[in-house]
Amino acid sequence: MAAGAGEAAGDSLFYSVQVAAFNQADQAIRYAGGVPREADPRTVSAVRLGRQGLWYRVIVGAFTTAAGADSLLRALWREGTVERPNGTIVRTPHAFLIDGQGSAEAAADRAEGLRRRGVAAYIVSAPDGSAQVLAGAFEGPDQAEAADSLLRLAGVRPTLVQRMGIRR
């Protein structure tokens, strides 16, 4: 999907759609893989939900406005990708920066390598035209703690940042 009206380089990409949540990472990754590429970026965010334990949220899209996320959710309902009333618009201003300031080709290679290792990485363009490899989408830093631990166990040294740029 192309960037929506009003989305420009350097804009915040604070809104997404949560389309599912699973208590097993492999289920979430498999589900995310079945979501059409038009909903990119697709990612899985591990979050600890109090006494419910660790859950893996399937998050799609990256928009500057809630209206952009709402348009994606309605399209997913129309196409039957997500059954009504499932899916919710979430404000997800944070993500883990895994690799930044590289070329689009280098970012694509890095993201693909991470995906083969079970990390739901995605790419956004930085305002300067370089490509960033990100993972996850979180409402706040505290929500990202579980994912940070899992990424570090996988040998990835992420930095929590605000999601900014242009979607790919």
Side-chain angles (χ1 to χ4, degrees):
M1 256 179 207
E7 290 184 21
D11 280 348
S12 62
L13 300 175
F14 283 8
Y15 294 92
S16 300
V17 178
Q18 180 180 326
V19 294
F22 299 90
N23 62 358
Q24 305 251 337
D26 60 334
Q27 291 174 314
I29 291 167
R30 196 168 34 256
Y31 186 91
V35 175
R37 294 186 79 67
E38 293 81 33
D40 278 352
R42 298 169 286 168
T43 193
V44 174
S45 299
V47 295
R48 189 160 307 283
L49 299 176
R51 293 181 184 210
Q52 295 177 25
L54 192 59
W55 282 80
Y56 300 87
R57 300 168 76 194
V58 179
I59 306 287
V60 299
F63 298 93
T64 60
T65 66
D70 183 64
S71 292
L72 173 60
L73 178 57
R74 291 176 185 279
L76 293 171
W77 283 340
R78 269 192 313 275
E79 297 163 2
T81 302
V82 176
E83 292 183 29
R84 286 183 191 258
N86 295 334
T88 187
I89 297 164
V90 289
R91 189 171 185 280
T92 52
H94 302 282
F96 282 114
L97 176 64
I98 296 175
D99 204 352
Q101 309 308 310
S103 69
E105 296 80 23
D109 289 345
R110 176 80 164 132
E112 183 56 34
L114 288 164
R115 286 187 211 113
R116 282 194 299 270
R117 293 175 37 206
V119 175
Y122 58 97
I123 302 168
V124 296
S125 293
D128 66 3
S130 65
Q132 301 176 16
V133 178
L134 302 175
F138 307 97
E139 295 170 31
D142 57 326
Q143 190 185 64
E145 290 174 2
D148 181 56
S149 296
L150 292 172
L151 286 168
R152 289 180 187 279
L153 285 172
V156 177
R157 301 287 177 228
T159 302
L160 191 65
V161 298
Q162 287 194 337
R163 292 199 309 168
M164 305 284 286
I166 302 171
R167 298 180 310 128
R168 293 188 150 213

